[in-house]
């Protein structure tokens, strides 16, 4: 199952203890203290990585613990520093306090870093306490505990374009046609069980990133079907593409399907209706079409309609150019 929500407990490393040591050499009867300081514990950073697209790496991991610092040694040798952990997470991950639900940070860009837990300071050795009045201190201090925090990570994919459609509308086939992604396709509903992220690369080497979510059904905003868990992955997209099966082989009323999709998005988050959109009227290679009826009753600008066939690639070139134009209009990747 696609992992997009996890809770983790992070513990930075404890600082190493200071040491009590004495300089004992044959011809130095007043050698004095030489105990070194302990090393600081390892800190924990979160870092957004452009090559990750889910939180699956935390599926069986609930605790992340950094290493402790090393203890001080004789001859004023300081302990080793605990290794700093850089925990990689996908771009688009939101870090929250699981109790208050307050957002700690939103990783909207690549290679962002956030210090979450600072390692504990190392303890002081007895050499540190040597003074002109106290030449032989016999004390040291223990290392400090590292910081601890419990966080919730929620992933919302970042893409230029989001696919929206009913099961079997041909979204996965269209994604395979537009990009080099090999997404599972079949003649039964809900072949897509997890969000897919891919891109279209154009002749000028520019890219448009696409987020494809599982098929939405009526009542998705009430947690029916699979849509409720994954609708959040199109919240950050700049453009929506409604993929509608315009044949009547499976569904009787393509226009009603489109309006139902709009209603489900409105019930989930009404801001989604403010996004620019186009409608891909898919499966025009089939015999029984409701294309003209759809156009006659369509309540929006007819220029947003693109009849295509993802299977035979009919109309794909015109559709792709339109997607590029609208997705790159303001050069937005993150909203």
């Amino acid at each position: 199952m696609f992992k997009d929500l996890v809770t983790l407990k992070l513990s930075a490393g404890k600082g190493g203890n200071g040491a009590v040591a004495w300089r004992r050499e044959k011809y130095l009867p007043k050698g004095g203290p030489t105990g070194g300081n302990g090393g600081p514990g390892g800190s924990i950073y979160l870092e957004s990585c452009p090559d990750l697209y889910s939180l699956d790496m935390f599926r069986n991991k609930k605790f992340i613990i950094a290493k402790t610092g090393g203890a001080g040694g004789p001859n004023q040798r300081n302990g080793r520093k605990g290794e700093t952990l850089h925990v990689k997470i996908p771009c688009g991950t939101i870090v929250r306090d699981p109790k208050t639900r307050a957002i700690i940070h939103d990783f909207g860009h690549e290679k962002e870093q956030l210090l979450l837990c600072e390692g504990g300071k190392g303890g002081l050795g007895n050499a540190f306490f040597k003074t002109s009045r106290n030449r032989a201190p016999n004390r040291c201090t223990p290392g400090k505990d590292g910081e601890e925090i419990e966080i919730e990570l929620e992933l919302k994919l970042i893409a230029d374009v989001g696919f929206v459609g009913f099961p079997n509308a041909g979204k996965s086939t269209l994604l395979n046609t537009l990009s080099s992604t090999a997404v599972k396709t079949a003649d039964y509903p809900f072949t897509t069980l997890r969000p897919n992220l891919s891109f279209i690369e154009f002749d000028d080497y520019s890219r448009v990133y696409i987020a494809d979510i599982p098929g939405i059904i009526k009542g998705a905003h009430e947690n029916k079907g699979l849509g409720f868990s994954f609708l959040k992955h199109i919240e950050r997209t700049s453009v929506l593409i409604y993929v509608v099966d315009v044949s009547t082989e499976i569904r009787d009323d393509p226009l009603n399907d489109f309006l139902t999709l709009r209603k489900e998005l409105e019930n989930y988050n009404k801001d989604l209706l403010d996004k620019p959109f186009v409608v891909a009227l898919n499966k025009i290679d089939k015999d029984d079409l409701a294309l003209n009826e759809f156009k006659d009753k369509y309540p929006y600008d007819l220029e947003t309609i693109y009849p295509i066939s993802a299977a035979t690639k009919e109309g794909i070139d015109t559709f792709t150019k339109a997607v590029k134009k609208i997705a790159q209009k303001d050069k937005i990747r993150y909203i």
Side-chain angles (χ1 to χ4, degrees), residues 238-299:
S238 304
V239 180
L240 295 179
I241 295 180
Y242 295 91
V243 183
V244 178
D245 181 356
V246 77
S247 73
T248 56
E249 287 187 337
I250 300 176
R251 307 186 64 84
D252 297 329
D253 192 343
L255 181 62
N256 184 63
D257 287 352
F258 167 74
L259 297 176
T260 300
L261 291 172
R262 295 277 290 178
K263 190 63 178 179
E264 290 301 319
L265 296 191
E266 180 183 16
N267 290 335
Y268 174 75
N269 181 353
K270 63 181 181 180
D271 292 338
L272 290 173
L273 298 187
D274 296 331
K275 293 182 181 293
F277 69 89
V278 295
V279 182
L281 296 181
N282 194 23
K283 302 186 182 181
I284 60 171
D285 55 304
K286 302 295 183 179
D287 293 331
D288 297 324
L289 298 180
L291 183 59
N292 292 331
E293 183 180 351
F294 187 99
K295 290 181 177 181
D296 291 340
K297 298 181 180 180
Y298 184 65

Side-chain angles (χ1 to χ4, degrees), residues 13-16 37-43 45 67-71 78-84 118-120:
K14 182 179 182 293
N37 300 330
S43 300
Y45 287 81
K67 292 185 177 180
T68 60
N78 292 333
R80 59 168 175 74
K81 182 179 180 180
E83 181 183 356
T84 297
E118 189 170 4

